[in-house]
């Protein structure tokens, strides 16, 4: 509990925040999340509740030393507003198991689907239902394998119908006709699924579900058909040619499956490259990387899967080591820049960092204890439908400790680049000396997290923080205390996790090699981006080389950014500079510019906070 003085301070801060929501006067507050329209009625109601819940968590649930560290700008518990509800961050949903048994959304039972159209419609409903159970995202870890049986059911349905026609069929012709009609249904089902992911609303109507799908390694006829049509539906875009924002899509790369021309799914990988060249999705994950292959046993269930933003859940001290039916419980980030600024020496930096890691662990354990004391009935879909491993055995009044211990508690970090500048005058993109120190810092954090996992017998992990609202919040506080320091606090944002600064000119291959080294250290999640210039759809070979370079550099997860613009009056999609090359429109209000923010896409940068807009404007392209 806090002291009365601290409580009064936070009450004043709450009232100020509520007034700013009413007046829509603080862009960084109302658009903390670019996936929510903070000026809509439901968006405002969500922010009212969010700020009040944060106040309650600060004053009633967190220890005074934790709150002090937050006020001093050293640490940031993510999604603190959801702490009083006891929700978890994210989940990898066992889609196949839920569809096979049928499920209940709370308003009636849904039977197992009889074809792919119904299966993908129900997949959308599962996403929407589960969104209300968690404060983060949700993902299908193997949507190709999970939906393949329903593609087969669709093929059999068409085959039965065709045999009832007054036609003499040769066996091969019958097969071909049935598969052709099934293929048509699969495309329509995938098209509807993509449209649903961009039009359904959840969380009080203020947000489309934050969803991801992983696929790419099913080599069966049915699985390949699902992958192909999901890519084609994404490539085609929405009703007026808009680029789909969701689902975030992750194409799983695997030697022997889709990596070389003579491998069975290589053609699908090429289609994935064509699709990402036009729509920015899919991203690419790498099963053979050192951080992921250690868990792979040859089964689909053991393939790595990511949440689209970067979260990764694999190691498990209390059960099978895979992603399915598991997720992140919560994560808290450390401001490496502030620690560097208050440290007199590199040795002092490590000493102070160790202390704040211990404090973050204390806070994560406090939150974990609160989550564990909630009851299964408080999350009827999440635990009642078996989304989490072992939850199907729970009675409504059971607490959640035995289930949640299979999730992860993650320590995150932001601003490695600026911390290095503060410590030694240059960041890890500029010199080998800085790179070695940066690697030593992240290795130090990972070693401490591993020791803490052993100490508490819980799945602690290190995550390369996806900082959206946080990137500017930390900077603003440090600048107020230390002033404008070149290379440290001079910009409106801190650099994401271990990334090379977005404004620093560096060759693509050098950026890949530098950042790739950090992926294996950040076992709770990681991602790296390459910024391309021009219309990359005209050079798929270059994209292939970038993806292969990521694999060679031991990436766990990566993506390729490039301009994707759309003229709303005429529907032209491509690169639009001052005016549309098709119709001549030059009104910026009618040009949609799709950009990636922290793993997901946003088509209207008016919804971005000021820090992320500043960061986007300073991104340089990574040349050959």
């Amino acid at each position: 509990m806090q002291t009365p003085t601290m409580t009064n301070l936070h009450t004043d801060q709450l009232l100020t925040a509520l007034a700013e929501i009413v007046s829509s006067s603080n862009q960084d507050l109302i658009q903390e999340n670019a996936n929510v329209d903070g000026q809509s009625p439901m968006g405002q109601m969500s922010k009212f509740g969010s700020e009040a819940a944060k106040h309650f968590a600060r004053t009633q649930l967190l220890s005074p030393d934790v709150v002090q560290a937050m006020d001093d700008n050293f640490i940031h518990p993510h999604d603190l507003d959801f702490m009083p509800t006891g929700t978890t961050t994210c989940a990898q949903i066992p889609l196949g198991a839920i569809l096979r048994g049928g499920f209940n959304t709370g308003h009636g039972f849904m039977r197992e689907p009889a074809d792919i159209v119904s299966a993908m419609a129900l997949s959308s409903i599962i996403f929407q239902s589960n969104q209300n159970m968690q404060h983060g995202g949700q993902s299908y870890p193997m949507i190709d394998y999970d939906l393949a049986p329903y593609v087969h059911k669709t093929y059999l349905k068409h085959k039965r119908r065709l045999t009832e026609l007054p036609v003499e069929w040769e066996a091969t012709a019958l097969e071909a006709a049935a598969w052709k009609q099934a293929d048509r249904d699969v495309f329509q089902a995938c098209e509807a699924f993509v449209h649903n992911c961009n039009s359904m609303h959840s969380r009080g109507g203020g947000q489309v579900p934050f969803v991801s799908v992983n696929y790419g390694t099913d080599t069966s006829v049915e699985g390949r058909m699902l992958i192909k049509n999901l890519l084609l539906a994404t490539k085609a875009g929405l009703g007026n040619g808009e680029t789909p924002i969701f689902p975030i899509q992750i194409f799983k790369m695997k030697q022997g499956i889709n990596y070389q021309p003579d491998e069975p799914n290589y053609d699908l990988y090429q289609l994935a490259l064509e699709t990402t060249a036009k729509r920015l999705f899919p991203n690419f994950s790498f099963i053979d990387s050192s951080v992921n292959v250690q868990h792979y046993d040859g089964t689909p269930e053991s393939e790595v899967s990511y949440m689209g933003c970067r979260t990764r859940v694999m190691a498990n001290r209390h059960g099978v080591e895979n992603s399915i039916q598991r997720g992140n419980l919560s994560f808290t980030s450390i401001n490496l820049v502030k620690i560097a600024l208050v440290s007199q020496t590199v040795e002092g930096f490590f000493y102070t960092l160790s202390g704040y890691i211990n404090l973050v662990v204390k806070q994560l354990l406090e939150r974990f204890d609160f989550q564990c004391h909630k009851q299964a009935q408080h999350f009827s879909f999440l635990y009642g439908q078996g989304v989490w491993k072992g939850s199907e055995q729970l009675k409504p009044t059971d607490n959640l400790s035995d289930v949640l211990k299979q999730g992860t508690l993650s320590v995150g970090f932001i601003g490695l680049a600026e911390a290095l500048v503060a410590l030694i005058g240059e960041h890890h993109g500029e010199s080998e000396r800085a790179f070695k120190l940066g690697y030593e810092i992240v290795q130090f954090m990972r070693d401490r997290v591993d020791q803490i996992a052993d100490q508490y017998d819980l799945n602690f992990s290190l995550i390369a923080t996806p900082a959206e609202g946080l990137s500017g919040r930390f900077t603003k506080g440090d600048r107020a205390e230390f002033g404008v320091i070149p290379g440290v606090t001079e910009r409106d944002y801190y650099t994401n996790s271990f990334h090379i600064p977005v404004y620093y000119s560096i060759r693509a291959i050098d950026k890949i090699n530098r950042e790739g080294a950090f992926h294996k250290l950040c076992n709770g999640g990681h991602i790296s981006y390459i910024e391309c210039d021009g219309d990359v759809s005209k050079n798929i070979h270059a994209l292939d080389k970038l993806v292969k370079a990521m694999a060679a550099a031991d990436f766990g997860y990566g993506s390729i950014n490039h301009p994707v613009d759309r003229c709303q009056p005429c529907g032209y999609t491509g690169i639009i500079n001052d005016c549309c090359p098709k119709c001549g429109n030059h009104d910026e209000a009618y040009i949609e510019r799709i950009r990636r923010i922290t793993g997901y896409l946003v088509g209207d940068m008016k919804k971005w906070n000021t820090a992320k807009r500043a960061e986007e404007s300073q991104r340089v392209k990574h040349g050959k």
Side-chain angles (χ1 to χ4, degrees), residues 1-2 53-64 66-67 80-86 362-363 366-367 370:
M1 300 284 288
Q2 293 187 31
K54 288 178 187 176
H55 177 74
F56 182 84
R58 282 174 172 266
T59 59
Q60 305 299 317
L61 300 179
L62 296 176
S63 298
V66 170
V67 176
L80 184 65
D81 45 347
F82 281 93
M83 182 178 176
T85 71
K362 174 183 177 179
Q363 180 268 312
E366 289 177 346
R367 189 166 186 169
F370 186 83

Side-chain angles (χ1 to χ4, degrees), residues 45-56:
M45 284 300 297
S46 177
K47 285 304 294 180
F48 289 144
S50 171
E51 293 305 310
K54 288 178 187 176
H55 177 74
F56 182 84

Side-chain angles (χ1 to χ4, degrees), residues 202-373:
S202 199
R203 291 183 181 159
Q207 184 178 12
V208 292
F210 194 106
V211 296
S212 310
V213 295
N214 294 256
Y215 56 77
T217 57
D218 189 344
T219 59
S220 69
V221 173
E222 296 86 351
R224 284 175 45 78
M225 189 174 288
L226 189 284
I227 298 166
K228 180 193 74 172
N229 283 295
L230 187 51
L231 287 167
L232 289 174
T234 302
K235 189 177 178 182
L238 302 178
N240 289 324
E242 303 94 333
T243 291
I245 304 302
F246 290 108
I248 302 172
Q249 299 178 45
I250 302 103
F251 189 92
K252 294 187 280 190
M253 297 294 296
K254 178 73 182 74
Q255 294 271 8
I257 300 294
N258 50 33
Y259 200 81
Q260 299 295 346
D262 60 346
E263 295 171 356
N265 282 4
Y266 182 78
D267 58 332
L268 297 177
Y269 165 56
Q270 294 302 304
L271 179 57
L273 292 173
E274 294 171 15
T275 305
T276 202
K278 186 172 184 180
R279 301 299 185 185
L280 288 164
F281 288 148
N283 303 335
F284 297 89
S285 66
F286 301 90
I287 296 173
D288 296 315
S289 67
S290 60
V291 70
N292 293 327
V293 75
Q294 60 184 307
H295 304 288
Y296 181 67
D297 64 11
T299 63
E301 292 78 9
S302 66
E303 295 174 356
V304 66
S305 57
Y306 287 85
M307 298 301 304
C309 58
R310 74 195 61 198
T311 310
R312 173 188 177 278
V313 177
M314 290 297 288
N316 188 6
R317 305 176 72 91
H318 299 285
V320 178
E321 291 199 344
N322 61 34
S323 299
I324 301 172
Q325 291 184 280
R326 302 175 60 218
N328 178 251
L329 303 175
S330 67
F331 67 104
T332 296
S333 291
I334 296 173
N335 183 355
L336 296 182
V337 190
K338 176 70 180 282
I339 294 176
L341 289 171
V342 300
S343 300
Q344 300 298 315
T345 63
V346 171
E347 291 75 15
F349 172 87
F350 281 103
Y351 177 82
T352 304
L353 175 59
S354 182
Y356 280 105
I357 291 174
N358 291 339
L359 189 62
V360 164
V361 169
K362 174 183 177 179
Q363 180 268 312
L364 289 171
L365 289 171
E366 289 177 346
R367 189 166 186 169
F368 175 65
D369 182 68
F370 186 83
Q371 290 170 322
C372 287
H373 280 84

Side-chain angles (χ1 to χ4, degrees), residues 105-171:
T105 63
H107 305 286
F109 187 79
M110 306 290 178
R111 294 187 300 271
E112 179 175 358
D115 58 26
I116 190 60
V117 174
S118 298
M120 296 205 80
L122 291 180
S123 299
S124 302
I125 292 171
I126 291 169
F127 266 153
Q128 186 177 33
S129 299
N130 196 64
Q131 181 76 66
N132 290 311
M133 300 287 112
Q134 305 201 237
H135 60 254
Q138 32 275 324
S139 176
Y140 293 142
M142 40 187 278
I143 192 171
D144 42 1
Y145 291 99
D146 283 337
L147 292 181
Y150 303 98
V151 176
H152 191 71
K153 285 186 177 185
T154 304
Y155 152 73
L156 291 178
K157 181 180 72 173
H158 284 298
K159 188 176 181 180
R160 285 193 299 269
R161 184 182 57 80
L162 290 170
T163 57
E164 294 170 357
L165 297 176
V167 177
E168 290 289 336
W169 290 99
E170 292 183 356

